[in-house]
Amino acid sequence: MVKVGGEVDAFCTKCQLMLAHTVHAVVSSRPVKVECNTCHGVHRYRDPPGSSAPRPAGARAERPAREKAVVVAFEDLLAGKDLSGAQPYSPKRTYGVNDVVDHPTFGRGFVSAVRDAGKIEVTFRSDVKLLVHGRG
């Protein structure tokens, strides 16, 4: 059984030889990333020649289909919030989810999450920022 930290024989892409390698990562009980014990090069695991059936030229492993990301305009996200209650951002104030804030640098945004240890995640037009709050 192959495990992280164990040794396997693999083809070193730097040395161009079959050498002993230390396993760095394992997926489904198969090494995927190894480090050559000779040149210390880290690379993907390569099977010893003749140990597995060769793939046809140009063949790739099947990948699961990715779901398409849904793009929502910032204005649409902000439209569902109470804009009349927008407050200037201050690290001394305490905020809740969906509170609208006006930041002097990033502009108008809304609190999308409250994190532990006095931090909030605020979604602005350009980015999502992690800001402090409740620091009396």
Side-chain angles (χ1 to χ4, degrees):
M1 182 161 104
V2 179
K3 62 182 182 177
V4 174
E7 279 195 2
V8 293
D9 285 335
F11 182 78
C12 179
T13 55
K14 236 178 175 181
C15 301
Q16 298 293 311
L17 296 168
M18 282 300 300
L19 296 168
H21 286 69
T22 301
V23 178
H24 278 223
V26 175
V27 173
S28 300
S29 70
R30 178 172 159 71
V32 290
K33 188 170 249 186
V34 293
E35 177 181 353
C36 178
N37 294 348
T38 304
C39 70
H40 299 287
V42 178
H43 55 84
R44 289 187 352 207
Y45 172 78
R46 306 261 193 240
D47 283 321
S51 67
S52 66
R55 286 193 308 208
R60 295 186 138 215
E62 288 290 322
R63 289 188 179 177
R66 290 186 183 174
E67 291 183 25
K68 291 190 176 188
V70 177
V71 178
V72 179
F74 180 73
E75 286 77 21
D76 293 341
L77 292 173
L78 206 53
K81 313 290 183 250
D82 179 21
L83 300 180
S84 63
Q87 306 173 42
Y89 170 74
S90 170
K92 295 178 182 178
R93 284 196 175 136
T94 302
Y95 301 95
V97 174
N98 290 328
D99 285 352
V100 179
V101 295
D102 286 321
H103 193 278
T105 305
F106 307 121
R108 182 163 282 178
F110 64 93
V111 179
S112 49
V114 177
R115 300 270 182 102
D116 56 335
K119 293 182 182 173
I120 54 173
E121 201 172 90
V122 183
T123 302
F124 295 102
R125 178 182 308 280
S126 61
D127 203 1
V128 177
K129 301 287 185 184
L130 194 61
L131 304 173
V132 296
H133 77 127
R135 302 268 169 110

